[in-house]
């Protein structure tokens, strides 16, 4: 596949690039500042995402766009929604992004502690982050693109296990961690999963 990856200089984005290359994909990365990547990666530096023509050129001919852009903390938000709206303006056909598990209500089969204590605390502490991600998902839903938004729990730097779980349209219950490597693997795998199109996907270890 020919892929264009945004947010490739971050930890999850770097995993996307690494795994895509291992699969034999043709990879273009879009970054705001010049950075070094593995041989064979095409680097497009676009400082201003308001430059729709440059974004369109970066994704032209791509089978899919993957975005690992998102806020690291409440102070960073909003980041995901503005970036995603800019990418959507360039008319990607297929786009996969990263959201977060607390964006959606917890599933009814989740634990009482998770539903009534843990998630409400996290929601209050990181409200700007989740508002940003909800706006991003709303922009995707209103677009003509074929989109998927992955909603992981807390991300770790662990290795890929291949044992992650996914749930279409809902969060995975009783799961609190996921490695960035497994998230990247799930995002790439979704490109050949029609059931992940135009919906959010819960993913967790």
């Amino acid at each position: 596949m020919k892929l264009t990856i945004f947010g490739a200089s971050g930890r999850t984005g770097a995993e996307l690039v690494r795994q895509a290359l291992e699969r034999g994909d043709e990879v273009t990365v879009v970054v705001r500042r010049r950075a070094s990547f593995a041989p064979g990666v095409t680097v497009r530096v676009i400082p201003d995402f308001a430059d729709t023509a440059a974004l369109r050129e970066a994704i032209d001919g791509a089978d899919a766009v993957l975005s690992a852009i998102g806020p690291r903390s409440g102070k960073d938000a909003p980041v995901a929604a503005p970036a995603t709206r800019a990418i959507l303006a360039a008319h990607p056909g297929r786009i996969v992004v990263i959201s977060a598990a607390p964006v959606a209500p917890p599933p009814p089969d989740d634990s009482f502690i998770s539903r009534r204590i843990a998630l409400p605390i996290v929601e209050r502490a990181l409200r700007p982050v989740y508002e940003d991600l909800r706006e991003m998902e709303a922009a995707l839903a209103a677009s003509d693109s074929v989109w998927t938004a992955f909603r992981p729990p807390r991300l770790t730097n662990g290795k890929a296990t291949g044992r992650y779980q996914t749930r279409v349209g809902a969060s995975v219950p009783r799961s609190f961690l996921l490695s960035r490597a497994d998230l990247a693997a799930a995002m790439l795998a979704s490109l050949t999963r029609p059931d992940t199109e135009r919906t959010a996907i819960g993913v967790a270890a």
Side-chain angles (χ1 to χ4, degrees):
M1 284 189 174
K2 184 177 180 181
L3 305 177
T4 299
I5 299 176
F6 288 77
S9 56
R11 287 175 289 184
T12 305
E15 275 294 333
L16 282 170
V17 173
R18 183 184 68 79
Q19 293 184 33
L21 292 174
E22 287 181 351
R23 288 171 15 131
D25 295 323
E26 182 180 341
V27 176
T28 295
V29 300
V30 177
V31 291
R32 293 183 186 272
R33 292 176 291 277
R34 178 64 59 181
S36 297
F37 291 90
V41 174
T42 300
V43 180
R44 296 293 186 96
V45 180
I46 305 178
D48 185 359
F49 279 13
D51 189 346
T52 303
L55 292 179
R56 187 176 292 119
E57 184 178 352
I59 68 175
D60 184 44
D63 296 299
V65 169
L66 298 102
S67 176
I69 295 174
R72 293 184 177 90
S73 69
K75 294 179 180 179
D76 293 335
V79 172
T84 301
R85 282 194 291 264
I87 296 168
L88 290 171
H91 302 296
R94 181 78 171 97
I95 179 170
V96 181
V97 304
I98 301 171
S99 185
V103 165
D109 53 344
D110 210 347
S111 68
F112 175 84
I113 292 176
S114 179
R115 287 186 292 110
R116 298 298 186 183
I117 300 174
L119 285 177
I121 291 174
V122 171
E123 168 71 25
R124 286 194 296 272
L126 295 174
R127 188 177 302 278
V129 169
Y130 301 130
E131 288 177 351
D132 181 21
L133 295 175
R134 289 187 183 103
E135 287 183 20
M136 176 189 71
E137 290 193 18
L140 290 166
S143 76
D144 294 328
S145 294
V146 180
W147 58 274
T148 303
F150 275 90
R151 293 173 175 169
R154 181 170 173 265
L155 295 174
T156 73
N157 294 324
K159 295 180 179 180
T161 68
R163 296 190 298 271
Y164 59 84
Q165 308 170 66
T166 59
R167 179 179 279 198
V168 177
S171 297
V172 177
R174 298 178 177 85
S175 296
F176 304 99
L177 299 173
L178 180 71
S179 72
R180 291 178 172 85
D182 276 337
L183 173 58
M187 292 174 71
L188 290 166
S190 74
L191 299 178
T192 54
R193 284 183 57 186
D195 62 318
T196 68
E197 294 178 359
R198 295 196 63 80
T199 189
I201 304 291
V203 57

